[in-house]
Amino acid sequence: MRSPLSRWLVVVTIVLAAQLGVPPPARAQGLTLERPVPGAVLRPFDPPDKAWGAGHRGVDLDASPGAVVRAAAAGRVSHVGTIAGTATITITHDEQTRLRTTYQPVVASVSPDDWVESGQVIGRLVGREPHPGLHWGLVRGEEYLDPLTWLLVPEVRLLPDGALPSPPPTLEVSVSPGLPWSSATARAAEGPITSPFGMRRHPLLGTWRLHDGVDIGAACGSPARTIAPGRVVLVERHVAYGIRVVVEHAGGLRTGYTHLARATVAPGQVLAAGQRVGDVGSTGWSTGCHLHFMAWQDGRIVDPTRWV
């Protein structure tokens, strides 16, 4: 049996490792979640032993009625309505694995089949008894998962002495998008790739996480251009991505242009290949002017290098 001193050393080691940004164990790649509301965890994930057994199939996050609820990740709204009398929104993030997040009880400001981006407002919380706050769930197929283990910035959790954490789920990142190379007839920006797609230590947060696009070292104010013909589906100011434009193309492809100094297009606008969507900047979580270029194929984040 370990002494109290040794147990404290284990705790200190775990906390220091988290603060120093030591890479976490293998975790979900291709999907990272952001909190839909900023409140603390009121009730943790406690899945049932059997499919219909008693348990808590998500987490409850502290939030007051009327609070804004945001999408935890990009995806398509697959359900808006009531489940067991509770107002519910479901967003599907991966059609193949049926990976989806749920939000209850929320009065929706989105509709079924809408595409939403991470951090986009999807509705407002309504009061419920006897459990306050937002009930946030993550489901893959029929399997309930703990959404806190998929966070963009994971929480530090201390385990009892001698206990081992269960391995997190994994999701393969597609690196072979279906849109032909020839469909891209313009460059997103002029400059070298300064940070590739893949796992890296975040330059601001210091944590090990997925870099979900490529950084192009373009000058401040230089044009960011759509790589192929398409339609603007989102223009927003995001806390992490700054000013961002998302364009939908043929073949199930979407591209994102982030950290812009300004956007020069509007939602619904139809664009030609090479048309300017904004000016390169350094808004959001950025250390200097560059274009963070992103791509999704059929709703899944993919490596956009082939189009750069």
Side-chain angles (χ1 to χ4, degrees):
M1 180 179 296
R2 294 181 181 176
S3 67
L5 177 60
S6 66
R7 286 195 292 269
W8 275 109
L9 288 175
V10 170
V11 171
V12 170
T13 300
I14 295 173
V15 172
L16 286 177
Q19 291 179 344
L20 292 174
V22 174
R27 58 166 296 174
Q29 295 184 9
L31 179 76
T32 49
L33 302 180
E34 297 185 47
R35 282 174 169 268
V37 294
V41 177
L42 298 176
R43 189 180 177 192
F45 182 65
D46 182 21
D49 294 332
K50 299 180 180 180
W52 301 104
H56 196 234
R57 296 169 172 83
V59 297
D60 290 351
L61 302 178
D62 190 18
S64 301
V68 167
V69 178
R70 301 179 182 274
R76 194 170 301 280
V77 178
S78 51
H79 174 79
V80 173
T82 59
I83 296 178
T86 302
T88 303
I89 300 174
T90 301
I91 300 174
T92 297
H93 307 288
D94 184 78
E95 296 286 353
Q96 184 176 0
T97 61
R98 295 176 57 214
L99 187 68
R100 56 204 188 274
T101 48
T102 60
Y103 310 79
Q104 297 178 318
V106 179
V107 174
S109 57
V110 292
S111 301
D113 293 328
D114 283 355
W115 177 270
V116 295
E117 294 295 334
S118 178
Q120 183 176 334
V121 175
I122 58 173
R124 291 186 177 273
L125 185 70
V126 295
R128 62 171 181 153
E129 295 293 342
H131 302 295
L134 173 74
H135 180 72
W136 179 37
L138 177 64
V139 188
R140 181 172 55 191
E142 302 302 323
E143 176 189 10
Y144 292 93
L145 307 171
D146 183 351
L148 296 180
T149 64
W150 296 57
L151 283 176
L152 184 67
V153 181
E155 296 187 341
V156 176
R157 299 188 186 184
L158 302 182
L159 300 175
D161 184 21
L164 295 175
S166 58
T170 59
L171 176 64
E172 181 181 356
V173 179
S174 171
V175 293
S176 300
L179 191 70
W181 289 44
S182 59
S183 297
T185 58
R187 287 178 57 86
E190 293 301 324
I193 294 179
T194 55
S195 185
F197 179 89
M199 298 302 294
R200 70 168 187 177
R201 194 182 307 279
H202 193 281
L204 292 177
L205 302 177
T207 54
W208 191 261
R209 50 165 288 191
L210 176 70
H211 186 229
D212 56 5
V214 296
D215 289 347
I216 303 174
C220 295
S222 61
R225 304 182 186 277
T226 180
I227 63 163
R231 179 177 61 89
V232 178
V233 293
L234 179 72
V235 176
E236 67 168 355
R237 179 179 285 275
H238 189 279
V239 62
Y241 296 115
I243 297 175
R244 173 165 65 166
V245 173
V246 177
V247 180
E248 185 173 58
H249 310 279
L253 176 72
R254 289 187 179 216
T255 53
Y257 309 80
T258 75
H259 301 311
L260 299 175
R262 69 180 182 117
T264 56
V265 293
Q269 186 173 341
V270 177
L271 306 177
Q275 188 167 340
R276 192 173 192 148
V277 298
D279 299 344
V280 171
S282 185
T283 55
W285 292 354
S286 170
T287 58
C289 283
H290 70 285
L291 177 69
H292 179 69
F293 175 58
M294 307 172 68
W296 298 264
Q297 181 67 46
D298 299 322
R300 301 179 68 183
I301 196 74
V302 296
D303 184 349
T305 303
R306 67 185 304 171
W307 295 297
V308 176

